[in-house]
Amino acid sequence: MKSRKILVTGTAGFIGYHLAKKLLERGDEVVGLDIINDYYDVNLKYARLHELGIDKNEVLASSDQLVRSSKYKKHQFIKANLDDAETINRLFKEEKFDAVCNLAAQAGVRYSIENPHTYVQSNVLGFLNILEACRHYDVKNLSFASSSSVYGLNKSQPFKVSDHTDHPVSLYAATKKSNEMMAHTYAHLYGLHVTGLRFFTVYGPWGRPDMAPMLFADAILNDRAIKVFNHGKMSRDFTFIDDIVDGIIKVIDNPSLGSENFDANTPDPSISSAAYKIYNIGNNSPIKLMDFIETLEKAIGQKAEKNFMEMQDGDVVSTYADVSGLMEDFGYKPNTALDEGIEKFVAWYKTFYIN
């Protein structure tokens, strides 16, 4: 496939870093963008950028300007905020992207309950700026991160993209639902080819420290009790990062087309007569939280002290992804076993935080 110039937002983040690295390794030109906020440790974010050849001091001295990688000749990075429309428009005008993958967002279900304005500013206004820039600078290929949290109070499992998602239980989920609706509008009005990906629980090396795998590993290795919510009676569709990135790239390489099966009288919210499609991206195999903890304990070689707690506001008992859409359309197949993925995660964790 011909090399393309791709904007990947959120490249200082967990998934964005891995995606940028994989795209660069196969020969694409990648412009990364991230605001590098302090939602979690910025040192981890800068360490990810360092792995991509982006120097922290150069970034700090060149805010809103591109910094070239010392490791990948086809990589540049800009520290910028999605809600800065002027900078976003300038970037699109100058760089002339072939495709955009928007992964940048204010993350965290629980954090959104305490800081609602931050989520609307980043996830709604910021995404609008991306849509507008794609519209005005003729970028037709747009993929973006949605979330499994949009299923909210939906009790039917596995979660299917054809399910309606009108009952979110956190503002984070509501902003992701709004992204899907905004994206459809732009696909319909302006001919964008848009694909949304509802991510399920992603884990692996360079993961987010606010997510369970990192929280658990940190507590176990520092002899602290781990917090086990809903008394451990939970399950998650834990998905290894390599499987997630493979799915994202399949979507980037195959922009959405309109569906001939769309029926306006009984609409499937995941498809449209416009060039718009929504997919679940996960492991298609939920894992009990206690089994996940046991696998992590084995990999670390140490038992966890457990503090069993009640369910948290905004959380759900179980997530389970029906990924048949990605399988049928692109041959997507997540194949990293939990013990294999956890071993890779723990090896990285010990190297980064301990050795």
Side-chain angles (χ1 to χ4, degrees), residues 66-81:
L66 287 167
V67 172
R68 188 164 293 279
S69 168
S70 61
K71 184 174 182 180
Y72 296 99
K73 65 179 181 179
K74 291 186 175 182
H75 182 43
Q76 296 181 88
F77 173 82
I78 183 170
K79 182 179 184 293
N81 202 325

Side-chain angles (χ1 to χ4, degrees), residues 75-202:
H75 182 43
Q76 296 181 88
F77 173 82
I78 183 170
K79 182 179 184 293
N81 202 325
L82 286 186
D83 65 17
D84 180 356
E86 182 179 348
T87 298
I88 296 298
N89 286 331
R90 172 173 57 82
L91 186 67
F92 273 72
K93 181 179 180 180
E94 293 176 354
E95 296 303 317
K96 297 177 172 59
F97 300 113
D98 298 305
V100 173
C101 183
N102 185 58
L103 301 177
Q106 178 57 59
V109 169
R110 292 157 191 160
Y111 189 72
S112 70
I113 295 173
E114 302 167 6
N115 301 274
H117 292 89
T118 302
Y119 285 75
V120 173
Q121 193 75 11
S122 177
N123 299 4
V124 180
L125 178 58
F127 189 56
L128 176 62
N129 288 338
I130 291 290
L131 289 169
E132 278 285 281
C134 286
R135 168 195 173 191
H136 288 293
Y137 297 100
D138 199 32
V139 181
K140 296 299 185 184
N141 183 351
L142 171 64
S143 49
F144 69 96
S146 186
S147 169
S148 62
S149 66
V150 300
Y151 289 104
L153 294 177
N154 189 342
K155 301 297 183 184
S156 175
Q157 294 203 6
F159 293 144
K160 296 179 174 64
V161 290
S162 57
D163 293 341
H164 286 274
T165 51
D166 298 328
H167 299 92
V169 294
S170 70
L171 185 65
Y172 171 73
T175 64
K176 288 300 183 179
K177 170 71 172 179
S178 75
N179 286 172
E180 295 181 2
M181 299 175 74
M182 293 161 69
H184 180 269
T185 302
Y186 275 69
H188 173 72
L189 289 176
Y190 307 116
L192 273 63
H193 296 255
V194 185
T195 307
L197 291 167
R198 292 175 178 167
F199 289 100
F200 284 67
T201 311
V202 188

